[in-house]
Amino acid sequence: MIRENKTDLRREAGQRTRDGLQSAALELLAQRGQEGVTLREITDRAGANVAAVSYHFGSLKALCDTAIEHALEQYLDAQMAAIDSLGPDAALEEVAAAFAGPMMRAFAAGGQDLAVMRTVARIGIEPPQGWERLTGKFEKSRRDVLRVLAPNIPGVDEEELIFRTRCAAGLLNWLALAPIGTELAALPAERLERQLVPVVAGAFRGSGG
C-alpha cells in the first residue's frame, strides 16, 4: 500500500510538472511566437528543470506543439459544448453566437486569453502534421454544427454547409490575427456580440438567405 501511494504521488507530481511546462510554453508562445521562446525561459517560468522537458516531451519543439494542440483542443471543446447546448429549434443567430462564443470571450477578456487565442487561430489556419488525434474532434464539431444549421438553411446540401462552416471558422481566425482584432478587443462585450454574430450568421446563410 505504501509503495502504491508513493507511485501515485510521483505520478501526480509528474503530471503537475507536465501541465506547468505546457502552461508556461503556451504563455510565452502567445507573447512572442515559437521562434522567440527558449527552453530556459519555459523551465524557469514553470519552476522545472531542463531535464523535465526531455523526460515529458522529448524536445522543445514537441513541448510547444503539445501546448498549442492542447489549447486548440480546449477551444474545440468549448465550441462543441456551446453547440451541443442548443435545441433543435435554435435560430441561425443562436448557432452563430455559440460557434463564435469562445472567440468572443477571448476578445472580451483581452490580455493573455486573447494572445493564446491568436496562437490557436494561427495554428488553426494551417495545423502541423501529426495532429491526427484532433481529427475526430474536428469532425464531431462539424457534425454538431451541421445538425443545428440544416434546419435553418433548408435546401442547402451537406457539402455546401461544410464549406460555409469552414469559411465561418476561417473568418474568426482571421479576425483574431488581423489589426481589426485589436479594435474588437476594445469593444464592450455586448457590442462585440452585436457586431460579430450577424457576420458569422451571414457566412452560414450564404447568398441564399
Side-chain angles (χ1 to χ4, degrees), residues 23-47:
S23 177
L26 188 59
E27 290 175 7
L28 290 167
L29 285 165
Q31 292 170 12
R32 295 200 296 277
Q34 193 156 343
E35 299 303 320
V37 175
T38 67
L39 184 61
R40 178 62 66 183
E41 285 178 309
I42 293 174
T43 54
D44 284 350
R45 180 168 295 203

Side-chain angles (χ1 to χ4, degrees), residues 27-112:
E27 290 175 7
L28 290 167
L29 285 165
Q31 292 170 12
R32 295 200 296 277
Q34 193 156 343
E35 299 303 320
V37 175
T38 67
L39 184 61
R40 178 62 66 183
E41 285 178 309
I42 293 174
T43 54
D44 284 350
R45 180 168 295 203
N49 58 50
V50 173
V53 174
S54 296
Y55 177 78
H56 289 287
F57 300 97
S59 67
L60 173 61
K61 182 181 185 305
L63 166 57
C64 292
D65 287 348
T66 300
I68 297 171
E69 180 182 353
H70 180 66
L72 178 56
E73 186 173 19
Q74 289 183 313
Y75 174 81
L76 290 173
D77 284 342
Q79 193 175 63
M80 286 189 294
I83 295 293
D84 286 344
S85 70
L86 298 175
D89 299 323
L92 188 60
E93 286 70 19
E94 294 178 278
V95 179
F99 188 81
M103 188 67 77
M104 290 193 295
R105 286 193 292 275
F107 277 125
Q112 182 68 21

Side-chain angles (χ1 to χ4, degrees), residues 92-93 149 152-153 156 160 164 198 200-209:
L92 188 60
E93 286 70 19
L149 266 187
N152 281 284
I153 317 174
V156 178
E160 176 65 21
R164 295 182 189 183
V200 176
F204 286 148
R205 186 178 292 111
S207 61

Side-chain angles (χ1 to χ4, degrees), residues 137-148:
K137 286 204 170 182
F138 277 114
E139 291 178 351
K140 183 182 184 308
S141 175
R142 187 175 299 154
R143 289 196 305 271
D144 290 347
V145 175
L146 293 183
R147 173 181 60 81
V148 291

